[in-house]
Amino acid sequence: METLFIDKMHDELRQGEAFAPAATDPIAYKKRFYIESYGCQMNFADSEVVASILNQEGFGATRNLEEADLIFVNTCSIREKAEQTVRKRLTEFKRLKKQNKALLIGVLGCMAERLKSKFLEEERLVDIVVGPDAYRSLPALVSEAAGGQKAVNVLLSREETYADIAPVRLDGNGVSAFVSIMRGCNNMCSFCVVPFTRGRERSRDAESILHECRELFAQGYREVTLLGQNVDSYYFVPDDATAQESTPVTFAKLLEKVALISPLLRVRFSTSHPKDITDEVLYIMQRYENICQYIHLPLQSGSTRVLQLMNRTYTKEWYMAKVDRIKTLLPDCGISADIIAGFCSEQEEDHLDTLRVMDYCGFDFSYMFFYSERPGTLAARRYQDDIPETVKKRRLQEIVEKQNQLSLRSNQRDLEKIFTVLIEGDSKKNDQEWKGRNSQNKVIVFPKTANSSLEKGSYVRVKVTECTQATLRGVPV
Ligand code: 5AD
Ligand code: SF4
């Protein structure tokens, strides 16, 4: 149910990204599409599936809005603010139709699923509405919309995993890629809209995942992040294979298979649910050096009473024991969390519990939000959203401050340590510096040295010499 977002500051949703330069397109495309994505990594991965489907039908991607015949917005419903951002953007796009009457605008993803044809019929904001399981029908819907018909497909599927579609990497760094291993979610966290927008959980064919990862490695990628709302419940039973191969593939097994592709291919995964992550997964992480020592383990709340209302199915003690277990088996493992402030009925004592659990676990970083009621969720139906916004924001602020201290402390512990860093590219501020990540998912910036053969995708040993609460700086050794 939880989904790791691309940026740390994802509550201020990333201004969507438009993708893929036209210059290298081998085919002369008949039309151009522009796509912006919001929300979680799953959504960004889905946009790459959409790009692939559209490419095959003769639509090429463009980063240039003026050049676009089609504009797509892949949307997120997780919090109200996310939806507001998208709505504003769609209104801006609609204005472009004044200059270009043939321009078609499509809304994809979670908001499309949640609001169905509302955008099209009531608000007349868009021409095409497509939910997360209906992307294969996009080309047909585009034709329908071009012919002036209402083009909507928000059917959810129990099977669709887009397993056979090779995503077109849109905006990557050429070093790390996301690989979707499952879709949907069967947990029923009471705050969460995802089970409604992304449907039932289903696992993608293991062989197709391995194939995609091998291809990425062959193309020069050096890191894959296996994505799912709840990766630990990945479970795939091959049906048409030989008896030996038809053994079910669990997440631990899949992780191992991906790790075996090459020791030079780093493997990450997201997201884990504390109730589902197994020792088996931790043992596999111990065994393979290329599986990154990093687990995103959403806490949501440190109060057992609130956790129960959230339907998280664990207590605060269970969560803390899980963190202990991780630290015992994987002493160098980085741990991050998602935390929600001000859920229904949260008392000051519950909030203090959250701060205490944060202290106990010493998260390296966290993604922090205040509760935003989502229509149709269990919480919206059962509980009152009764914490005043000022209180939610104050508690969130205290959580953020706590996390800032923890992050600084965590980074200070890394001073003088040497890490293997995978170079992702130039540092944002200075092209004389490289930026990369260590296994624990921390960003490390370090100077480029003259005559060095290092490049994007190289591994390098870096000694950490300075830190802030957000970044580590170091020197190659
Ligand atoms: N309000 C605030 N935060 C939410 N999240 C999910 N639903 C909501 C909501 N209604 C957070 C959870 C989840 C992350 C992806 O977003 O912390 O793990
Ligand atoms: Fe991702 Fe949809 Fe959830 Fe947003 S609502 S985080 S896009 S799954």
Side-chain angles (χ1 to χ4, degrees):
M1 185 142 331
E2 311 86 357
T3 326
L4 179 59
F5 285 68
I6 295 222
D7 278 339
K8 271 196 182 180
M9 296 299 296
H10 53 286
D11 212 33
E12 289 157 34
L13 279 173
R14 238 162 71 127
Q15 261 310 303
E17 304 273 319
F19 297 134
T24 53
D25 289 346
I27 317 166
Y29 289 112
K30 58 181 181 196
K31 291 218 160 137
R32 294 274 160 195
F33 70 92
Y34 169 99
I35 186 165
E36 265 184 22
S37 307
Y38 293 86
C40 62
Q41 289 168 334
M42 277 306 271
N43 243 23
F44 282 73
D46 278 2
S47 290
E48 300 187 331
V49 166
V50 166
S52 176
I53 292 170
L54 290 171
N55 275 177
Q56 295 206 338
E57 292 295 319
F59 298 97
T62 175
R63 286 172 181 280
N64 182 355
L65 260 180
E66 268 115 66
E67 199 180 78
D69 307 289
L70 289 157
I71 296 177
F72 290 114
V73 185
N74 198 353
T75 61
C76 173
S77 289
I78 199 107
R79 282 168 289 274
E80 198 184 343
K81 199 171 148 221
E83 291 203 347
Q84 283 164 356
T85 311
V86 166
R87 209 170 265 283
K88 209 169 121 229
R89 201 66 182 134
L90 288 174
T91 315
E92 285 164 20
F93 289 145
K94 195 183 170 186
R95 269 187 233 124
L96 297 176
K97 290 185 79 152
K98 292 215 175 86
Q99 290 115 52
N100 177 2
K101 293 261 177 317
L103 179 68
L104 293 175
I105 298 175
V107 58
L108 314 178
C110 291
M111 266 176 99
E113 193 61 48
R114 197 178 81 72
L115 298 169
K116 314 254 184 289
S117 57
K118 189 161 173 260
F119 273 134
L120 217 162
E121 285 169 355
E122 287 171 35
E123 306 188 23
R124 299 187 177 278
L125 260 183
V126 301
D127 309 287
I128 303 168
V129 177
V130 193
D133 286 346
Y135 296 142
R136 286 183 204 266
S137 64
L138 256 170
L141 292 169
V142 169
S143 310
E144 280 173 31
Q149 284 166 275
K150 284 179 187 157
V152 183
N153 187 349
V154 289
L155 286 176
L156 286 174
S157 154
R158 281 181 178 255
E159 286 95 35
E160 183 62 273
T161 58
Y162 301 111
D164 56 314
I165 295 180
V168 171
R169 304 293 157 188
L170 287 170
D171 195 46
N173 52 15
V175 175
S176 51
F178 298 115
V179 175
S180 160
I181 64 163
M182 58 202 298
R183 300 181 70 81
C185 185
N186 285 357
N187 295 330
M188 272 287 169
C189 299
S190 62
F191 51 78
C192 190
V193 77
V194 176
F196 305 95
T197 60
R198 286 187 167 266
R200 306 286 295 173
E201 181 183 290
R202 64 222 99 120
S203 296
R204 175 179 168 189
D205 184 321
E207 210 29 70
S208 82
I209 297 169
L210 291 169
H211 176 76
E212 187 175 330
C213 294
R214 281 189 213 108
E215 288 286 301
L216 285 165
F217 184 69
Q219 288 161 22
Y221 283 82
R222 290 295 172 262
E223 183 176 276
V224 290
T225 303
L226 308 180
L227 285 184
Q229 252 77 30
N230 187 8
V231 288
D232 300 285
S233 59
Y234 177 88
Y235 190 79
F236 182 76
V237 188
D239 53 6
D240 57 351
T242 61
Q244 191 210 345
E245 282 171 331
S246 67
T247 342
V249 184
T250 59
F251 180 60
K253 208 71 221 129
L254 180 74
L255 199 55
E256 178 165 45
K257 284 170 185 274
V258 178
L260 284 168
I261 290 175
S262 164
L264 288 178
L265 182 68
R266 271 188 175 176
V267 190
R268 299 186 183 277
F269 55 87
S270 184
T271 294
S272 302
H273 193 300
K275 78 172 161 55
D276 292 320
I277 187 165
T278 57
D279 273 5
E280 206 192 343
V281 167
L282 304 180
Y283 289 132
I284 294 287
M285 290 176 76
Q286 251 179 356
R287 198 168 312 149
Y288 296 90
E289 219 176 302
N290 56 328
I291 303 182
C292 290
Q293 299 286 305
Y294 168 63
I295 298 176
H296 182 60
L297 197 70
L299 166 67
Q300 313 301 9
S301 167
S303 151
T304 296
R305 188 186 70 83
V306 173
L307 285 168
Q308 209 160 22
L309 293 178
M310 288 176 161
N311 201 22
R312 290 290 289 175
T313 72
Y314 54 84
T315 60
K316 96 176 177 202
E317 288 79 13
W318 167 282
Y319 184 94
M320 293 192 294
K322 208 33 113 178
V323 168
D324 287 343
R325 186 73 183 147
I326 293 169
K327 290 188 174 171
T328 306
L329 292 180
L330 306 163
D332 295 328
C333 192
I335 302 178
S336 62
D338 287 347
I339 300 169
I340 299 177
F343 186 66
C344 311
S345 86
E346 185 188 75
Q347 300 299 298
E348 217 47 38
E349 190 49 38
D350 299 311
H351 168 61
L352 292 175
D353 264 345
T354 297
L355 296 175
R356 283 185 211 119
V357 174
M358 290 176 73
D359 255 330
Y360 181 88
C361 300
F363 299 127
D364 298 285
F365 43 94
S366 287
Y367 303 89
M368 301 154 281
F369 320 94
F370 61 82
Y371 174 59
S372 160
E373 186 178 84
R374 308 312 295 134
T377 55
L378 285 178
R381 284 183 275 143
R382 278 194 205 153
Y383 313 124
Q384 230 185 330
D385 180 13
D386 55 355
I387 308 301
E389 189 155 315
T390 47
V391 176
K392 284 184 185 172
K393 288 195 167 156
R394 193 254 305 151
R395 288 183 188 160
L396 177 62
Q397 192 49 38
E398 288 172 12
I399 289 171
V400 168
E401 277 160 24
K402 167 71 67 192
Q403 185 54 54
N404 287 347
Q405 293 163 11
L406 294 175
S407 298
L408 180 62
R409 238 180 279 159
S410 158
N411 284 351
Q412 284 168 340
R413 279 196 299 272
D414 288 340
L415 288 171
E416 300 302 311
K417 285 191 195 158
I418 295 172
F419 294 100
T420 301
V421 172
L422 172 61
I423 299 181
E424 290 174 9
D426 291 347
S427 98
K428 251 184 239 152
K429 291 186 195 135
N430 180 351
D431 65 6
Q432 293 311 301
E433 291 179 330
W434 290 117
K435 175 196 136 191
R437 271 167 219 270
N438 65 7
S439 173
Q440 290 75 8
N441 208 26
K442 286 189 184 175
V443 171
I444 306 189
V445 172
F446 59 96
K448 292 181 181 176
T449 39
N451 307 325
S452 132
S453 58
L454 293 178
E455 53 185 11
K456 240 168 59 164
S458 303
Y459 288 101
V460 54
R461 303 279 288 165
V462 176
K463 181 173 178 177
V464 175
T465 51
E466 291 168 58
C467 75
T468 64
Q469 147 215 320
T471 342
L472 301 176
R473 298 185 64 85
V475 287
V477 291

